[in-house]
Amino acid sequence: MLKKILDKFNSITSDNGKNWLLAFIWIVIFESISTIIEFKNIEYSQNYITHMPDGVFKEVLIAILLVVFLWYGVYNFIFVHRDRFFLYALYAAVCIYLFFTHDITFTLMLHNLNPFALSYNEFSFYLIIQLFIKIIIIYLVYKMLIAIKNLKSKDK
């Protein structure tokens, strides 16, 4: 049973170690989720955020991101391409990250990229979720490295 679940997970997240781009996209998606959870639950994470001030530039940037997001979504719906759909999911994860954190420099996400860096003061539900996500990210990095190795061995 566990082997079937792991095989299905490998198929979805890295095409069984054959697609490094797919693994990378899932790493960014899980990292975005982890960072948003940290942003909402840990107070000191606010120190890493560089807020964009309200103004015309922010409104234009949001409008451009929204138009590109919608256009790319319609394009992927009409011409269904699996790899492009995953890039769309990557774009969606970045937009959701920006929506929740307002961090245009991605400083919090870059700080949170270290899979071994966990911020906790006590054992809590937040710590369990973060540990679970970090384990998934470490596994996906491993699968991405395998896919890159397989790609290089194919080229030889």
Side-chain angles (χ1 to χ4, degrees):
M1 177 71 175
L2 184 61
K3 182 162 176 31
K4 283 184 178 180
I5 292 171
L6 189 59
D7 287 342
K8 188 67 174 169
F9 182 76
N10 284 334
S11 169
I12 292 171
T13 57
S14 68
D15 198 16
N16 295 318
K18 298 174 192 163
N19 191 340
W20 71 269
L21 180 62
L22 185 59
F24 175 74
I25 290 169
W26 278 105
I27 289 168
V28 172
I29 290 171
F30 278 115
E31 191 59 42
S32 297
I33 292 168
S34 173
T35 305
I36 290 170
I37 291 171
E38 181 176 330
F39 178 77
K40 292 293 183 182
N41 291 308
I42 303 296
E43 191 65 35
Y44 83 88
S45 65
Q46 305 287 333
N47 298 338
Y48 294 99
I49 301 291
T50 304
H51 287 280
M52 177 185 260
D54 292 334
V56 175
F57 179 72
K58 183 176 181 179
E59 296 299 323
V60 169
L61 182 65
I62 291 171
I64 290 171
L65 287 173
L66 184 62
V67 167
V68 169
F69 181 72
L70 292 175
W71 176 83
Y72 198 62
V74 170
Y75 178 81
N76 280 323
F77 183 72
I78 294 171
F79 306 105
V80 179
H81 300 289
R82 183 173 156 200
D83 288 340
R84 290 186 182 158
F85 178 75
F86 290 124
L87 286 174
Y88 183 68
L90 174 68
Y91 187 81
V94 169
C95 287
I96 291 170
Y97 171 81
L98 288 172
F99 176 77
F100 280 105
T101 64
H102 305 283
D103 180 25
I104 60 168
T105 61
F106 295 95
T107 310
L108 180 59
M109 184 181 280
L110 291 174
H111 164 73
N112 203 20
L113 267 176
N114 183 359
F116 302 107
L118 287 171
S119 47
Y120 58 90
N121 294 342
E122 63 206 36
F123 189 76
S124 64
F125 184 69
Y126 163 76
L127 181 62
I128 294 170
I129 296 294
Q130 286 293 70
L131 280 173
F132 182 70
I133 290 174
K134 296 291 184 177
I135 290 169
I136 290 173
I137 289 172
I138 291 169
Y139 182 74
L140 288 173
V141 167
Y142 169 72
K143 283 298 192 178
M144 185 175 76
L145 293 174
I146 287 175
I148 291 171
K149 179 184 168 203
N150 290 340
L151 183 67
K152 286 184 179 180
S153 66
K154 239 193 259 186
D155 291 338
K156 289 182 179 180

